[in-house]
């Protein structure tokens, strides 16, 4: 099942280390089948606030996403970003093919009756 690394990164002043991080990050994905799905584009806030930028990286599964995050290659370059950009980053599994939210709603209703 597809998994995602999702980052909500705050605004940051340009810095050479951030440029180096961006130049090097794609190579860290290769062994884990990762690829950018959202990067370097604007977003439209429809509710609440979302200052900064959105980054979404797709992986074949959660094991690959975790392995990428924990990899020596990624951990080597992560400080190039984290020293200059504050943000929140999560790893999350996607839903399986054929996912039906009505099943989740039914389970919720059943739990409320119990």
């Amino acid at each position: 099942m597809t998994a995602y690394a999702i980052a909500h990164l705050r605004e940051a002043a340009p810095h050479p280390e951030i440029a180096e991080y961006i130049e090097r990050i794609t190579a860290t994905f290769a062994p884990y089948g990762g690829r950018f799905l959202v990067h370097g584009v604007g977003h439209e806030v429809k509710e609440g606030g979302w200052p900064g930028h959105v980054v979404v990286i797709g992986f074949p599964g959660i094991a690959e996403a975790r392995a990428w995050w924990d990899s020596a290659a990624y951990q080597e370059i992560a400080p190039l970003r984290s020293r200059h950009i504050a943000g929140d980053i999560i790893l999350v599994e996607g839903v399986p093919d054929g996912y039906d939210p009505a099943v989740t709603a039914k389970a919720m209703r059943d739990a409320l009756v119990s």
Side-chain angles (χ1 to χ4, degrees):
M1 186 171 355
T2 303
Y4 306 91
I6 303 173
H8 176 201
L9 303 176
R10 306 313 184 271
E11 293 291 340
H15 192 281
E17 285 191 341
I18 297 170
E20 180 181 350
Y21 173 84
I22 293 168
E23 290 166 348
R24 295 175 59 189
I25 191 171
T26 302
T28 69
F29 301 158
Y32 310 100
R35 68 182 186 90
F36 277 116
L37 300 176
V38 176
H39 186 255
V41 296
H43 60 276
E44 188 174 328
V45 177
K46 294 295 191 180
E47 193 170 317
W50 197 290
H53 304 280
V54 179
V55 177
V56 180
I57 305 163
F59 291 91
I62 196 72
E64 292 86 352
R66 287 179 182 136
W68 163 74
W69 180 266
D70 294 334
S71 71
Y74 182 68
Q75 289 304 309
E76 178 183 321
I77 67 167
L80 298 172
R81 172 194 45 77
S82 64
R83 282 193 288 260
H84 306 285
I85 303 174
D88 304 301
I89 301 172
I90 63 169
L91 301 181
V92 62
E93 228 171 353
V95 297
D97 289 340
Y99 171 77
D100 182 355
V103 173
T104 301
K106 182 182 181 327
M108 220 183 257
R109 289 183 185 283
D110 292 348
L112 290 169
V113 173
S114 300

